[in-house]
Amino acid sequence: MRDVVAAPGRVAAVAGVGFTPFSRASGQSVLALAAEAVAGAVADAGLRLDQVDGLHSFMVSDDSVPCVAVSSALGLGQLRTVLDVQLGGQAPCHLVWQAAQSVARGDAEVVVVYRALNGRSGARVGSMQFAGMGGQYRYPIGYGAYLMYVGMWAQRFLHETGQGPEDLGAVAVNQRRYAADNERAARRQPLELEAYLAEPYVVEPYRRSDCTVEVDGACAVVVTSLERARDLVHPPAVVASGCYRAGPRPGLDIGDHLLWEDYTRNYTTWLRDELFGRAGIGQGDVDVAEIYDCFTSTVLMGLEGLGLCARGESGAFVRSGATALDGRLPTNTAGGLLAEGYLHGMNTVAEAVLQVQGRGRVRQAPRHEVAVVTSGALMDGSAMILTADR
Amino acid sequence: MVESTGRGVVYSFVTAHVAVSPGYAGALPYSVATVELAEGPRLLGRVEPPAPLAIGDPVVPRFLDHPTWTELYFVPQAEGA
């Protein structure tokens, strides 16, 4: 095994994951969903609820419930750390890394990170108008949906890197193949490239299958010390490295990209060296990748941004089969946000944990000692490296 | 502050074929571009007509009066020269 240079203090690990079903209409409150996923993750790890002393979560425009509400609903004991952050898909790796730091410092022992939302039957982020000063320049001219902003970057990215619709389509096709074997996934029907190319545009360059599928549901992961995790039910997924990064001029709100210099490079380019450097590993050591994919293009940009592919070669990489289960770098092995469902990247983290723990079942990557996972699409985001215990 | 003629080129664009932007009552399809002005700064604006449009296309500014505000949009230079 490779040597991992961890953060100072204790090393932290993810010990368990929890999910509710993903649906179009949960019929439950967001609080009930959050409580179910948190309790599920704690039970999955083989811990008791009275051992939880930290909660971290995130929400977009108040579409979720605060940590204290979940603590009250579950009757937890005292909380020694909470974070309720106003972020979207940029948050999951950032929050797990913050939880790991709390555990490493000894501020808390068991921190659960969750995301819960009725993202289909309730407020839908895809058509949400974001608070902040940027909106006044966008909404009146019909530039008011997240897929337009990410699409604006995708168009430039494809142009500069010499890639096209077949490259986007290859991502959608690859992930649908994984989703067929994932009972939680919202889109399990197979997709062939010809059928993808025949789909009409929603917002060019995106077709329907380029876009995530909004769902109701919740997902949670449990962070504790590696020492404690070794005594629990499943093999620990060691939190070897984490990074958040907002590049220069990240905008007035999460949809305001106008001041960003280069639409072909997102936050992954900015955090790459620190992420891998802190973990003490190189890109060639990565066995599994879980790349944030609200849209197909962010997978390509993430693969290139992290240095897992050379510039302009991510599409060819995916088309070659490299990201399939029997390829060099199995990627988005649960079907991703594109096919499993839009839990804003919390499920992306959970899948990385399951892979490192060897719990991927029929979707288990053959080599799974090192996984890289990302959170976010544009100006800011976060990423993490999880490794098997040594 | 930068004084600008409003002329520029398309840095990138999207074309909406489905009504995804809440509150926008304009006709489909329509294109919104990030326009790089000749003087350097970038602006967001609709481009009329929406297609065909390509990155690098030169565009020139037009103004459209709405009841309570004035919209800056762009047209291809060939049509608006």
Side-chain angles (χ1 to χ4, degrees), chain B residues 63-66 68-72:
Chain B
F63 293 93
L64 177 64
D65 284 329
H66 295 271
T68 57
W69 62 291
T70 298
E71 177 182 0
L72 167 63

Side-chain angles (χ1 to χ4, degrees), chain A residues 316-353:
Chain A
F317 187 71
V318 176
R319 284 189 278 106
S320 77
T323 57
L325 196 58
D326 59 355
R328 185 151 60 81
L329 184 68
T331 300
N332 291 1
T333 47
L337 308 180
L338 293 176
E340 185 181 52
Y342 190 34
L343 261 285
H344 296 205
M346 202 67 238
N347 48 334
T348 313
V349 170
E351 176 65 14
V353 171

Side-chain angles (χ1 to χ4, degrees), chain A residues 175-225:
Chain A
Q175 294 189 201
R176 202 68 76 79
R177 212 167 281 145
Y178 286 115
D181 293 324
N182 178 1
E183 68 287 345
R184 200 165 34 240
R187 285 180 181 153
R188 299 184 63 184
Q189 67 281 23
L191 177 71
E192 299 304 325
L193 187 62
E194 297 71 33
Y196 164 86
L197 291 170
E199 290 178 10
Y201 285 120
V202 179
V203 170
E204 187 183 345
Y206 292 146
R207 298 168 164 87
R208 178 175 171 276
S209 293
D210 288 299
C211 306
T212 184
V213 53
E214 291 171 310
V215 295
D216 292 359
C219 175
V221 305
V222 181
V223 181
T224 190
S225 68

Side-chain angles (χ1 to χ4, degrees), chain B residues 7 60-62 75-81:
Chain B
R7 290 170 177 270
V60 297
R62 288 288 181 272
V75 299
Q77 185 179 303
E79 297 182 21

Side-chain angles (χ1 to χ4, degrees), chain A residues 272-273 276 281-287 303 305-309 329:
Chain A
R272 166 179 66 201
D273 291 346
F276 283 96
I281 64 167
Q283 278 84 345
D285 299 321
V286 176
D287 298 321
L303 289 169
L306 291 174
L308 297 167
C309 285
L329 184 68

Side-chain angles (χ1 to χ4, degrees), chain A residues 45-59:
Chain A
L47 289 160
R48 300 185 314 273
L49 282 173
D50 63 18
Q51 293 174 292
V52 175
D53 59 357
L55 289 172
H56 290 172
S57 191
F58 61 103
M59 60 180 80

